[in-house]
Structure formats: C-alpha cells, structure tokens
Amino acid sequence: MPDFFINGQPVHAEKGETVMQAALAAGFYIPYFCWHPYLSVAGNCRVCVVEVEGEGGGSSWSDIACNMPVSEGMRVLTDSESVREQRKQTLQFILLNHPVDCGICDKAGECMLQDHHYAYNGEPSISTVPKVKATKYVELSDRIVLDNERCIVCSRCVRFTREISKSHGLAIQNRGDHSLVRASEDGRFNTDPYSDNVVDICPVGALLSRQFLHKARVWYLQATPSVCPGCARGCTVNLWHRKREWKLNALDPRQNTEIARVTPLENPAVNGPWICNKGRDLGQVFGRPRALQPMLKGREVSPDEAAAAARALISESGRPVALVSSWGANEELTAFKQALGDRFTCFVKRDCLPAAGEVVEDELLIRADKNPNTATAQQLFGSAPLTFPDGTDLVLVWGEGFDFTAVPRGARLIVLGSYLAPENGHADVFVPISIQTERAGHYTNFAGVTSHFAPLFAKPRHVVHAEEFFARLTVTAGIA
Amino acid sequence: MTGRQLIMDFPVTATSHLLADYQARGGYQTLRKVLTTLKPEDVTKEVTAAGVLGHGGAAFPVGRKWAVVKLDDGQPHYLCANADEGEPGTFKDRWILEHAPHLLLESMLMTCYALQVRNCFVYIRGEFDQPYRRLQAAVEEAYAAGYFGENILGTGFACDIVVYRGAGSYVCGEASALITSIEGKKGYPRNRPPRLTVRGLYQRPTVINNVETLSNVAIIMRMGAEEFRKVGKPKSPGTQLVSISGHVNKPGVYEVEYGYPLAKFIYEDCGGVLAGRGLKCIIPGGISTKVMTAKDIEGVTYDHKSMEAAGSQVGSGGMVVIAEGTCMVRLLHVMLRFYHHESCGQCTPCREGMGWMHRIIERIVRGEGQPGDIDALVRISNANDGTTICGMGDAAGYATVGIIAKYRDEFEYYIANKRSKCEGRLEVETAHA
C-alpha cells in the first residue's frame, strides 16, 4: 500500500518520516545543503523545496522537504517548473557573494554547491556590483580553518558540535548577512576530539583541514576502504591516496605512497559517518620511518636467510614464548595460531597504550583500548597477563609496545616489526613486516563487528607479510 | 471620536494605571466571576464566539489558535503575551502596557485559566523602559493582591507570570523566535510544522498572542460575546488600537472601532497632514503592509475585509502618514535598511536577499542606479515570498513590491536623473519646527 506519491510514483514511508527521508530511501534525489541524515533539521538553506499538489483541485503549495512530514496520499513534485524556479532563485542567493574561487578551494570536485549549481542553476552571480568581501582565513582551531566568503551559514558544523561531539565549540555570531561561524572563546573547539568532522559535513569549502589545506586536488586522489587501527572501535575509513594514473614521477615521488587524508566511511554498525581526530592522523602513524631490511644481530640478510635463522631458533628452543600483536589482522593471528600456536606459550600484547593528553574513552566513539584487534587476539590466545615461564629460552616479539628489558636473561630474541627501532639491531633475528596499508585483512572490533581493509600501496622489496612468514616457519617447526 | 471605545474607555491620569484605579473601574471583578462560575472550556467558547482576530498583524482568529491546545493532554501548556512591539510605526501595545497593564494581566489570568496554563510569560521588547517598569510594578501589585501565585481568589487556581525582557531584535516579535529567545537561545524563528500550539516553548503546547489581542479577553468576558460582537463589523468584531505617526497633525494612539471610515479618521480625528500638505499615501499597519495612496483610502472603512479589498491590510495598526512631496525612493531605502539590519540570517533568501536589496536601493539613492535595478528589487521580493522560515522575508517583499507598484515612476526618475523626483527628503517642515 503506497503511502504517498513522488512525481506520480507510489512511495512507501515509515511512520514519522519526512518527505526528504522517504524520497532518499526510495531513490529520489532532492538537493540539500543544511540537512544531514545524522543531524537535526535546521531547514535554513531552502534548497530542498518541493511542491505538493493541492487535493481535489486545490492550489498547490511548496515547502521544504526536510521538514515536511509525509501524510497519506500526498502528491509531491520534486522537479516541477515552480520547484526549479525556486531552487534556482535560492541558489542565486547563495551564489550572490560566493567568491567562486573553486580553483584554489580544497572542496572543489566534491562540493555540494558545485553539484547543485550545475544541476539547478548554471548561471553566474546576477549581482552587478562587486561582491561583498569577507575574511578568507579564520583559524577556528589548530586543525580547522574557516573561509567566510564561502560559508553559506547552513549551521551543520554548529549542530555537529552541539548534537554529536557535544563540545558546543562553534556558534553563529551576529545576524543577517553578517552571520559568522566562530569558535567559542574558551577553546572548547580546539580540544574537541571530533572537530575534523565539520570539514566533511561542510557542504561547501568553508571549513577546511589545515593539515590537508592546499595539499592535493581531490580528483587526483582515490579512496581505499580501510579500518582505523587507532582504538578498539575500528571505525571504517577511507584512506585517500594518489591515483595510479596521476602518479608523480618528478616533483615529490614520496607523495605516491603517502596517505593524503583520512575520511570516515559511513557505517551505521560501527561509527556512523564520524571518526575522531586521531583517525585523521593515520598518515602520521603509517608514515613513520620504516624498517626495510631483515637482520641477524644487526647484520643485513635476505628474507630467506632470516626465515631460516628463525626456523633454527624455534626448533632448538625448549621453552619459546610469543608476544602476539593486537594489531595483527584476523588472518595473521589465525595463521600464527595454526603455524606456531602449539609450539609457543602465547600472550597477547597491547601494542599501543593511550598517549599523554589523549582522550582515553568517551561515549561517542573513542575506546580505551588503543589496539584494533584485541578481540580476536584474546579469543585465540587468551587474555592471561604476560609472565615469562622459568627456563624461557626464546622470545618472539610481534609488533610494537614491548619493553625489551623484560626479556629473561639468556633468552634468544626474534622480532617482527614494521618501524625503525633501536632493538631491531639487537635481536637475534629481525624480520620487517608489512603494515596495514600494504595488505588486505580484517579486524574485529570490541563489539564483535568485523571490518575489511584493502591495500593501498605495494610493500617494499625486503619487507614480508607476517601471514606468509608464519606459514614458512610451520614446515620446519613441524619436522623438528 | 473614532467609534466605541473598549480599551481606552477611561481618562488617563497619574494613577489610572495602578491597581486601585483599575479595581475602581471594575477591574478583576470579571476574573472572580470567571474563576468561580465558569469552566475553562466556557472561556474558550466565549472568546471563540466573540470572533476576535489577532491584533499583532496576521489577524488569525484567536479561538482557532486556542482550540488546538487540548486541556487533557497531560502536559504543561504555556501562554506568552507578545509585547515585542517592533514593527516600525507601531506603538499601540505600549499604550496598554503603560496605561492599562492590569487589563492585560487580568486577561492573561483568564486565558491561563481557559488553557490550563500554570506559567505564563510576557515577552517585552528591550527598548520599552517605562512600559516595562509599569508592567513589572503591576505584576508586583497583582501578586500582592493575590491575583497571581497559588490558590488565586481562593479558587485553587494557580498561575505565575514572568516578564521577560528581549534585547530589541525585530524578529523576536515573530512567535517562534520569541519563544526561542525565552528559552535563552538566539532568536531564530522555527520551522513549521510543528505549530507552536502543538510544540512551542520548551517543546510544549504554547499560545502566543499579541498584548492587545489578549487585552480583549477581559473585555469579552465582561461584556459577553454577544455584546462584544455588536462593536465593529461582523467579520472584524471589536476595535483596533491604531498608532498613527508620520506627517500627521495629531499623532498618537487611537482606538478605532472596526468599520470606521479610514479617510475620516486620518483627515478629521488625526487632524490631517502636516503643514497643510496633501496626503500622498499611508502605510496602514506597520511598514510590512502595502502602501495605500490617497485615492486608495477613499471610501475604505477600517476593517479587515475592506482593507484587503483595497489591496492592503489592517496589519499591526501601526499607521504612517506620508505627505505629498515625500521621496518614496528614500522611504524604501529607510525601510530596506531596517530589514537588512534586522534579518536574523538563518535562512538563505532573507539573509542574502535583504542585504542585496539594501545595497541596490542604497546605490540608487547615491545616484548610481542602473536600469535593471527596479526589476531586481521586485524579483528579489518575489523570491522571498513564501520561501523563508518566518514571515519577515515576505513582509519586506510586500513593502517593496507595494511601493514600487504604485511609485515606479519615481524610481525610474531617480535612476535616470540621479536625483529625487520629489523634494528628496522625508521630513516635513512645520511652522514651529
């Protein structure tokens, strides 16, 4: 039984839904700026205007779809002559003093104003006088910068800080066309751990990330779905990196293998459309200096030699202990369990602990466990605290966050690590392993939701995938 | 006289605004009768039967507004008196607040009883100083006399009142912006639906009525709906307080019975136009209503039907008289400067449109007008019509379209000749000025 009609087609609506929600769910597109599925209705951009045909020959009326409750049998037109005319006029208002500096705007290419303008207006500003100037660069926080000329005062960012992050860090100052988005004087926006989301939800290029400012045109970038390893929430994210066909050969080839920016990948089961600021800085986590060379006591060897040496140590050992990484993917952890789980006494290692000054845990997303896959690791290897049994003669350390002074005297050491560290050269066997951006896999978050991450870059030549490396150790371990 | 007087029916003296004088005039007698002999729904029935229309500008039937509030819905209701009289040219509520505050309070008590309101508010504009002090004093007098608080007049009915001072924003006179302001937020109007009588102040059913509208409640309950309907016209019962200003010999507040001849009111009761000039036009009910030329007002009676037939509205009763020789371009400039300044900036058409229109008219007044400017003003006005959250965008548009429709030649002349077709000023010099 159809509830109402959009452009003559029957559409079902849930109770309490607005025309906007029902239309989007049914595959009809109504343009909008200020409306956001996860925020309250502000109804101030006026672009989502639709026409409702009058009943029984009555005259039709128009109103905004985002605030229009569906009523049984109503006939909504999303693209009628009068709707197009009103939309065009509203866009002319918005573009009246818009600087149209898309050429230097980070948002260009993914800007809702650009999209709507081309779809519904297409004409330059019809003002005949010079445009009103405004401040182009307002530092709202250490991370966010505001361009007042581009701002369309949709209040999405303000509502975000009130309804989602609850920092109340932003507000609109003044009134009329002097309205300005400003951060509160007490610096609450600066300490808002979710502040960068306002950059994503800004429908235009008004709020920009200072980190990403003028770093890349978005059409040179591509997004690879991944999982943020920053905490046990395991937010799904898009990791943006340079497209293969726009690879830089001359200017700065390092950019080809750098994460340009991180954005949330909407996932109602885990993180909604948000991520925290720490997740935005994944590029720094993965961009640390890498360990690229297998070593035996600091002597550079090939991966095969390292594997042989590790095999030998394991087969000689009487009582080997393994510290399993909680940053390992489900596949890697399972491979280790199958290959070496019986041979080693295994403990789960917390690779990362909360850093000084970091938000440890909150009600929105951030979890106290700063490792992505503790759930699977503990499921496979238990959650006993680390104690070295008497007679431990071999310690295998996989990943970071281990205090090497705790290694029992006389025990041999196998280290699998991704980043440069002083201990790498002291280990009997050091094997460089690939990082998350170089392999595919899955993490299971604290609530048991498993998410997939895909590789962005190729691994360096002598670096091995931990999963394959464990498999190579099996054969010998079994024979011995 | 301007017809029968219901509100201004007593001589103003140094003490006429005080409780003792009000009681001597029979004040609060009706309240006792209402609280002791009538049920809440009887009050609503009586007010609905009286057919009184809103006096704030929109002329919405009061009974229909009240009828939305369900007495048995199990949630608190609120009543707000809108004393944020910001419409330029309007200062009629001020008279009630200054000279008959107890009439308002008594009416509010009856309304609270009718709608089962425990807490009511008066939202008074920040610039009103004397009215605020008079009203606050009256509230204190009423509390001391036991008209507010618990167990009023021994009937068990309880009601409290708070006088809330606004900060002088025009848009806060809009009902939803008003309650947003009372809630302590920025005075932004809200989107409808939901209507305020469904979800208003603190998300509860709220009735917001103009001060003059509410003041009529005590009068209706005293006279009875049948008697009340004998005043005025069938479609517009009662009277309207008209605040008349501008180029007029006797400006001030007059109580005009609906159906009174408009021309007679202006030329005779108000003494006609200043300095013996001819009448150019009037703005009949606040600057957001369309202007009426001297010819338009001929034969028009002052009531909703007749005024609408003449192409304008009763509006808020804020009448501005404009003498021959006044420059309409400069008049519109002043009006648009006001709208630009007072736009709250929440929704796009008004935020951008008001500034745009102001900049255009400013350019015209500077002598830098361009041929397309008049059409641009009309187009922006039309783009604001019905597309904004509140009625302010519409209002500015009506005013602009109204003036341009009747005085387009003056605008064309100004643009072509870079000077006013008239004397180019808004003031009229009088003998003693």
Side-chain angles (χ1 to χ4, degrees):
Chain A
M1 184 62 192
D3 283 350
F4 73 118
F5 299 89
I6 297 179
N7 302 338
Q9 294 187 39
V11 172
H12 175 74
E14 300 295 326
K15 194 171 186 290
E17 266 190 335
T18 58
V19 169
M20 173 72 90
Q21 289 167 322
L24 292 180
F28 292 93
Y29 186 69
I30 299 173
Y32 54 83
F33 288 116
C34 68
W35 183 79
H36 189 281
Y38 289 79
L39 299 175
S40 64
V41 171
N44 60 31
C45 75
R46 316 306 283 184
V47 169
C48 67
V49 64
V50 292
E51 189 178 344
V52 182
E53 290 180 272
E55 282 172 46
S59 60
S60 65
W61 50 283
S62 48
D63 205 347
I64 49 171
C66 68
N67 194 47
M68 187 189 287
V70 172
S71 63
E72 185 76 35
M74 73 196 293
R75 306 186 75 87
V76 175
L77 300 176
T78 64
D79 202 26
S80 69
E81 192 61 41
S82 87
V83 166
R84 270 202 298 268
E85 185 55 33
Q86 281 192 50
R87 240 172 232 164
K88 188 169 173 174
Q89 281 169 343
T90 306
L91 282 162
Q92 283 171 350
F93 280 131
I94 291 173
L95 276 177
L96 185 67
N97 290 309
H98 187 86
V100 203
D101 54 351
C102 308
I104 53 156
C105 177
D106 278 354
K107 202 78 174 188
E110 51 181 23
C111 172
M112 290 171 81
L113 183 54
Q114 280 182 333
D115 297 347
H116 293 348
H117 174 69
Y118 286 124
Y120 304 104
N121 181 12
E123 287 172 16
S125 168
I126 50 178
S127 174
T128 51
V129 291
K131 292 184 173 182
V132 175
K133 296 269 185 274
T135 329
K136 292 289 282 180
Y137 193 91
V138 181
E139 292 173 3
L140 291 184
S141 78
D142 297 341
R143 302 180 65 93
I144 310 285
V145 63
L146 167 70
D147 184 327
N148 280 314
E149 284 188 350
R150 296 178 192 152
C151 180
I152 62 167
V153 202
C154 71
S155 84
R156 270 185 173 192
C157 51
V158 175
R159 281 175 284 147
F160 173 82
T161 62
R162 293 192 180 161
E163 295 161 18
I164 306 295
S165 77
K166 303 215 164 65
S167 70
H168 295 255
L170 293 177
I172 292 173
Q173 219 175 53
N174 300 338
R175 66 184 181 193
D177 55 2
H178 308 291
S179 296
L180 299 168
V181 172
R182 285 291 180 269
S184 69
E185 288 92 344
D186 56 8
R188 269 184 290 186
F189 188 60
N190 209 17
T191 52
D192 183 341
Y194 297 96
S195 62
D196 280 25
N197 287 303
V198 300
V199 176
D200 299 329
I201 61 174
C202 182
V204 294
L207 291 164
L208 299 169
S209 161
R210 295 177 72 179
Q211 219 175 58
F212 186 61
L213 191 66
H214 302 159
K215 283 284 190 299
R217 308 307 329 224
V218 292
W219 52 85
Y220 292 140
L221 304 179
Q222 75 179 69
T224 301
S226 191
V227 182
C228 173
C231 78
R233 174 74 59 178
C235 297
T236 49
V237 292
N238 271 325
L239 301 182
W240 293 79
H241 55 99
R242 223 167 158 86
K243 279 180 184 165
R244 191 179 287 271
E245 59 267 38
W246 291 110
K247 200 169 67 164
L248 286 170
N249 291 322
L251 285 170
D252 187 4
R254 270 178 313 172
Q255 285 189 24
N256 298 330
T257 54
E258 272 176 4
I259 296 173
R261 65 168 176 175
V262 183
T263 57
L265 177 59
E266 187 178 336
N267 184 350
V270 179
N271 54 315
W274 321 117
I275 57 169
C276 71
N277 289 352
K278 191 182 164 191
R280 308 271 170 177
D281 300 338
L282 280 186
Q284 292 165 23
V285 174
F286 293 131
R288 286 178 290 165
R290 290 286 298 279
L292 297 169
Q293 187 62 47
M295 291 184 287
L296 300 176
K297 285 265 175 212
R299 180 169 59 84
E300 295 187 357
V301 294
S302 72
D304 288 342
E305 285 175 90
R311 264 199 308 265
L313 281 179
I314 293 168
S315 53
E316 284 163 18
S317 164
R319 182 147 261 190
V321 169
L323 296 161
V324 179
S325 172
S326 47
W327 280 52
N330 289 353
E331 291 78 357
E332 293 173 320
L333 292 164
T334 313
F336 187 86
K337 177 83 177 170
Q338 286 170 352
L340 304 163
D342 300 333
R343 186 82 182 86
F344 280 84
T345 311
C346 299
F347 297 95
V348 174
K349 170 171 59 67
R350 304 247 168 173
D351 293 32
C352 279
L353 295 172
E358 182 184 353
V359 176
V360 175
E361 190 163 39
D362 68 10
E363 286 167 359
L364 183 56
L365 295 176
I366 301 173
R367 304 286 303 177
D369 179 6
K370 302 297 172 195
N371 306 290
N373 214 5
T374 316
T376 307
Q378 290 189 340
Q379 195 197 336
L380 292 171
F381 303 103
S383 49
L386 169 65
T387 45
F388 287 105
D390 290 340
T392 301
D393 56 0
L394 174 66
V395 178
L396 184 149
V397 180
W398 171 15
E400 302 172 271
F402 178 64
D403 177 13
F404 282 90
T405 57
V407 175
R409 200 166 256 284
R412 311 297 291 271
L413 195 58
I414 302 175
V415 174
L416 282 75
S418 301
Y419 304 102
L420 283 183
E423 293 81 8
N424 297 355
H426 301 306
D428 294 283
V429 179
F430 173 78
V431 182
I433 54 171
S434 57
I435 56 175
Q436 192 188 324
T437 53
E438 293 158 3
R439 54 186 158 87
H442 294 80
Y443 291 138
T444 302
N445 81 348
F446 74 101
V449 181
T450 303
S451 307
H452 170 74
F453 57 85
L456 289 61
F457 310 121
K459 71 172 177 63
R461 187 156 166 250
H462 292 306
V463 168
V464 300
H465 291 307
E467 190 182 340
E468 291 167 13
F469 183 71
F470 298 144
R472 291 172 71 179
L473 299 181
T474 336
V475 186
T476 333
I479 293 165
Chain B
M1 278 307 267
T2 50
R4 271 167 287 183
Q5 310 279 294
L6 300 178
I7 293 172
M8 302 170 75
D9 60 346
F10 60 93
V12 173
T13 63
T15 57
S16 58
H17 60 280
L18 297 175
L19 179 62
D21 281 37
Y22 183 66
Q23 282 171 326
R25 297 197 297 268
Y28 289 109
Q29 293 296 327
T30 326
L31 177 69
R32 189 178 294 275
K33 190 185 85 190
V34 165
L35 292 185
T36 49
T37 62
L38 296 179
K39 289 206 291 272
E41 42 274 42
D42 297 337
V43 182
T44 309
K45 237 178 258 169
E46 198 71 17
V47 172
T48 310
V52 61
L53 302 174
H55 286 66
F60 191 79
V62 176
R64 259 170 64 198
K65 193 183 262 188
W66 289 13
V68 181
V69 179
K70 298 277 171 289
L71 294 185
D72 54 355
D73 59 0
Q75 49 179 336
H77 309 141
Y78 294 106
L79 171 73
C80 301
N82 186 347
D84 192 73
E85 189 171 42
E87 183 70 30
T90 312
F91 45 91
K92 63 178 177 74
D93 293 341
R94 177 177 173 167
W95 192 93
I96 297 176
L97 296 166
E98 281 185 13
H99 300 296
H102 284 288
L103 177 68
L104 173 67
L105 296 182
E106 189 185 2
S107 296
M108 286 184 75
L109 279 163
M110 291 179 197
T111 311
C112 287
Y113 180 66
L115 301 169
Q116 292 295 293
V117 172
R118 179 67 181 77
N119 291 288
C120 61
F121 299 83
V122 180
Y123 187 92
I124 188 166
R125 73 182 293 205
E127 293 92 332
F128 275 180
D129 185 42
Q130 173 81 335
Y132 168 72
R133 281 187 277 139
R134 286 259 170 108
L135 180 67
Q136 188 61 43
V139 165
E140 280 155 27
E141 274 184 318
Y143 261 106
Y147 294 124
F148 279 102
E150 303 288 338
N151 196 15
I152 295 166
L153 301 175
T155 58
F157 175 64
C159 185
D160 280 299
I161 187 167
V162 173
V163 180
Y164 190 99
R165 293 190 85 177
S169 162
Y170 172 61
V171 82
C172 283
E174 200 273 343
S176 62
L178 183 151
I179 60 170
T180 314
S181 177
I182 291 183
E183 286 174 4
K185 299 170 191 156
K186 193 169 178 173
Y188 275 165
R190 293 184 191 169
N191 283 288
R192 272 69 152 212
R195 276 182 293 176
L196 300 178
T197 36
V198 177
R199 274 215 325 257
L201 185 61
Y202 306 120
Q203 301 297 313
R204 303 294 186 181
T206 306
V207 168
I208 295 147
N209 278 132
N210 173 261
V211 163
E212 189 193 347
T213 316
L214 279 175
S215 300
N216 272 303
V217 173
I219 294 164
I220 292 166
M221 296 315 290
R222 190 177 67 220
M223 296 169 72
E226 210 172 309
E227 273 302 303
F228 183 81
R229 286 201 82 107
K230 287 182 185 157
V231 184
K233 297 275 257 189
K235 287 273 161 91
S236 316
T239 62
Q240 170 82 39
L241 288 188
V242 177
S243 55
I244 188 162
S245 60
H247 306 147
V248 64
N249 275 319
K250 290 195 271 177
V253 182
Y254 295 80
E255 183 167 14
V256 182
E257 183 178 349
Y258 285 127
Y260 192 80
L262 183 55
K264 183 166 179 245
F265 171 64
I266 294 167
Y267 293 122
E268 293 177 21
D269 296 292
C270 300
V273 182
L274 272 183
R277 296 230 198 161
L279 177 70
K280 183 167 195 174
C281 59
I282 62 161
I283 300 171
I287 63 166
S288 307
T289 51
K290 287 184 178 164
V291 292
M292 299 169 85
T293 60
K295 222 171 117 222
D296 288 341
I297 65 170
E298 279 170 25
V300 171
T301 54
Y302 191 71
D303 59 82
H304 297 90
K305 216 174 139 195
S306 177
M307 294 289 277
E308 270 153 41
S312 193
Q313 285 163 288
V314 167
S316 65
M319 201 175 283
V320 181
V321 175
I322 294 155
E324 274 300 348
T326 309
C327 177
M328 298 308 280
V329 180
R330 287 200 48 204
L331 181 73
L332 185 64
H333 176 220
V334 172
M335 284 158 60
L336 289 177
R337 183 171 63 201
F338 171 81
Y339 283 119
H340 179 206
H341 182 69
E342 292 293 346
S343 170
C344 81
Q346 190 183 191
C347 64
T348 308
C350 175
R351 180 183 64 236
E352 302 298 333
M354 296 304 121
W356 192 2
M357 284 160 81
H358 181 212
R359 285 190 293 275
I360 291 175
I361 192 81
E362 208 168 47
R363 221 179 49 230
I364 296 176
V365 168
R366 269 207 313 271
E368 295 164 17
Q370 296 161 3
D373 281 347
I374 305 172
D375 291 328
L377 286 174
V378 173
R379 197 183 54 235
I380 301 164
S381 300
N382 291 335
N384 260 296
D385 186 6
T387 59
T388 47
I389 294 176
C390 74
M392 192 183 133
D394 309 353
Y398 293 151
T400 310
V401 170
I403 288 183
I404 290 178
K406 298 210 165 117
Y407 299 98
R408 199 182 174 98
D409 57 320
E410 286 192 28
F411 286 81
E412 280 163 355
Y413 185 93
Y414 208 126
I415 291 172
N417 299 292
K418 304 188 193 309
R419 63 186 178 82
S420 174
K421 193 178 182 183
C422 309
E423 291 166 25
R425 50 190 301 160
L426 297 175
E427 306 80 13
V428 170
E429 280 193 36
T430 53
H432 36 254

